[in-house]
Amino acid sequence: MINKQTWDFIRQHSTDDVRKLALQGSKNTDVDLPMALQQIAGRQTALKKLPSWAAQDGILYPPHLNMEQCSSEQTARYKAQLAGSGDTYVDLTGGLGVDFYWMSQHFKQRYYIEQNADLCTLTEHNFHTLGLACSVCCCTAATYLPDMPHADVIFLDPARRNEHGGRTYDIRDCMPNVLELLPLLMEKADKVILKLSPMFDWRKAVDDLQHVTEVHIVSVDNECKELLLVLESVEAPLRLVCVNNDQHFEVPSANTPHHSPITTHPSYLYEPNASIMKAGCFDALEERFAVRQISTNSHLFLSSVEIEDFPGRRFQICAISSTNKQALKAALTDIDRANITVRNFPMSVEQLRKKLHMKDGGSTYIFATTEADGTHCLYICRKIG
């Protein structure tokens, strides 16, 4: 696909600025400059997103949009845990093959299905380079599914854009339409793993699909990346798991003992990670940990003792102040810089920063919120860890 002169150019300029390279061009006419630039840019993205692939010489990268849309190595490895192991694994929406590469590792037979011929050619090359034996089929999921052999696991990552190219947040509008394929999917596999945008309403997705046994909300560095649904033809209580890097919080069952309410003055404040904020499982945090919510709509939690394994950011409370001018002056003495967050509060961050005459940054964190009784207050804190 790429001649020797182009590969030499790619290796020679692997760390260079792609925009400058595009302007400079190449003196060697045998160099396919557009392809070289695509490969250099792709590998630079992969260094952070797919470090194992970036370390492998000979990997081919697709255009920028495909690199932006593909899974990261971190989330693909997490999905591999959900897939487990077995005889047959099928990916009906193969794409760049990142999820396929990691999720199919512990299966004897691997089938990659993708309707884009260019991606099929590229991924077949990459799988060979990476030493992954598999079958590649260029067709649609709907075409392949009826005659496919039974699989232990089927994976789908449907496109979240409609026929006009606009984003959609309803399963019915995805391509392929998983609801139309659902009876056949459940017939053909022991387990179906579905990847959706984190913008989807996971509760509606569970209601629509009926067969969901597990919901995994996956964040990386506190940015919600994926909504994963596991479908099985079994009767089982729904598992809801919130993941952020190495933080895992599984929503406890209804019979989990509830902690006693905090009766002493709170010393610590907690902000749940992005996956938990997406899940909305705030009552479950109170059930699992000795914390209480400041108020129903604040999504901030307090405790009198430090909870080291709380799934989110932890802060020690230095002062609690009303919005009274005199109280604020006393609480913020010698503080001219802070990181400000507002939750269920009648002012924006910018408005509050202007009112407090605060610069951005520093080691002080201010959470402005509304107490259960309607009182507006500020929690002045320092971050732990």
Side-chain angles (χ1 to χ4, degrees):
M1 271 199 259
I2 299 179
N3 62 33
K4 181 181 182 302
Q5 292 83 358
T6 303
W7 273 122
D8 289 343
F9 183 90
I10 291 167
R11 294 184 181 104
Q12 181 183 352
H13 299 281
S14 62
T15 60
D16 291 359
D17 187 300
V18 175
R19 289 168 298 182
K20 290 182 180 178
L21 282 176
L23 294 173
Q24 293 169 359
S26 173
K27 296 177 182 178
N28 189 337
T29 57
D30 291 329
V31 172
D32 182 345
L33 188 61
M35 175 58 76
L37 296 176
Q38 177 178 306
Q39 296 310 307
I40 293 168
R43 184 178 179 277
Q44 289 175 359
T45 298
L47 283 169
K48 291 183 178 180
K49 199 170 188 178
L50 305 168
S52 295
W53 284 23
Q56 176 70 51
D57 193 34
I59 294 291
L60 292 178
Y61 298 101
H64 175 74
L65 181 61
N66 297 102
M67 284 300 297
E68 288 299 310
Q69 292 178 340
C70 78
S71 292
S72 67
E73 179 173 332
Q74 184 172 341
T75 59
R77 287 182 182 275
Y78 182 80
K79 289 191 284 289
Q81 298 175 43
L82 302 185
S85 60
D87 183 68
T88 305
Y89 174 88
V90 179
D91 186 332
L92 290 174
T93 53
L96 182 55
V98 175
D99 286 324
F100 179 85
Y101 174 73
W102 271 281
M103 293 178 73
S104 69
Q105 288 284 338
H106 299 292
F107 290 83
K108 296 175 184 175
Q109 301 178 78
R110 312 174 183 96
Y111 296 89
Y112 165 98
I113 317 303
E114 169 56 50
Q115 62 182 345
N116 184 309
D118 291 337
L119 280 177
C120 284
T121 301
L122 183 144
T123 53
E124 195 164 22
H125 165 88
N126 287 343
F127 294 151
H128 177 75
T129 302
L130 293 163
L132 183 73
C134 64
S135 297
V136 174
C137 181
C138 185
C139 66
T140 66
T143 301
Y144 185 82
L145 187 59
D147 298 321
M148 67 168 272
H150 189 83
D152 297 281
V153 176
I154 291 176
F155 176 72
L156 295 99
D157 177 9
R160 274 121 12 216
R161 289 187 181 274
N162 59 30
E163 61 218 19
H164 306 295
R167 289 188 180 277
T168 179
Y169 302 110
D170 192 308
I171 292 176
R172 291 172 178 81
D173 299 325
C174 291
M175 296 292 291
N177 185 332
V178 177
L179 288 179
E180 288 183 354
L181 299 178
L182 189 58
L184 202 49
L185 287 168
M186 301 310 297
E187 176 190 327
K188 290 286 188 176
D190 298 331
K191 180 191 293 185
V192 176
I193 301 176
L194 180 62
K195 172 184 167 183
L196 298 173
S197 162
M199 297 301 292
F200 274 63
D201 182 336
W202 68 265
R203 294 176 181 83
K204 184 177 186 303
V206 169
D207 289 341
D208 287 344
L209 293 164
Q210 299 295 312
H211 299 280
V212 180
T213 58
E214 300 180 24
V215 175
H216 297 254
I217 301 174
V218 181
S219 293
V220 175
D221 296 334
N222 212 30
E223 181 181 350
C224 207
K225 293 292 188 180
E226 297 177 357
L227 172 61
L228 306 173
L229 306 181
V230 178
L231 287 69
E232 298 172 280
S233 296
V234 295
E235 291 290 332
L238 179 68
R239 287 185 68 212
L240 175 58
V241 183
C242 300
V243 180
N244 179 57
N245 295 348
D246 58 352
Q247 293 179 341
H248 290 64
F249 176 68
E250 183 168 347
V251 176
S253 58
N255 60 2
T256 301
H258 191 86
H259 285 289
S260 301
I262 299 166
T263 56
T264 59
H265 187 76
S267 300
Y268 299 91
L269 181 145
Y270 305 89
E271 182 184 41
N273 65 40
S275 291
I276 291 174
M277 297 294 279
K278 171 64 180 177
C281 52
F282 305 114
D283 290 345
L285 289 174
E286 289 190 326
E287 291 175 356
R288 175 68 65 84
F289 304 102
V291 296
R292 66 170 171 84
Q293 297 187 65
I294 291 177
S295 65
T296 305
N297 297 316
S298 73
H299 309 321
L300 296 170
F301 294 77
L302 303 173
S303 74
S304 53
V305 295
E306 183 183 352
I307 311 296
E308 293 187 1
D309 58 344
F310 186 90
R313 297 198 299 172
R314 296 173 289 137
F315 300 87
Q316 185 169 25
I317 300 171
C318 303
I320 304 174
S321 173
S322 70
T323 54
N324 176 277
K325 189 174 181 180
Q326 220 171 13
L328 286 174
K329 185 177 180 181
L332 299 174
T333 302
D334 298 328
I335 300 175
D336 63 355
R337 185 182 298 272
N339 305 276
I340 297 176
T341 298
V342 296
R343 291 277 175 77
N344 189 28
F345 193 75
M347 301 175 81
S348 68
V349 170
E350 292 74 18
Q351 289 170 333
L352 182 57
R353 189 178 299 285
K354 185 175 180 180
K355 175 183 172 70
L356 300 178
H357 306 291
M358 284 283 171
K359 297 176 184 176
D360 189 23
S363 58
T364 298
Y365 289 76
I366 296 175
F367 292 86
T369 189
T370 303
E371 300 277 1
D373 63 2
T375 303
H376 302 313
C377 64
L378 273 61
Y379 286 79
I380 296 98
C381 308
R382 68 171 183 83
K383 191 178 178 183
I384 302 172

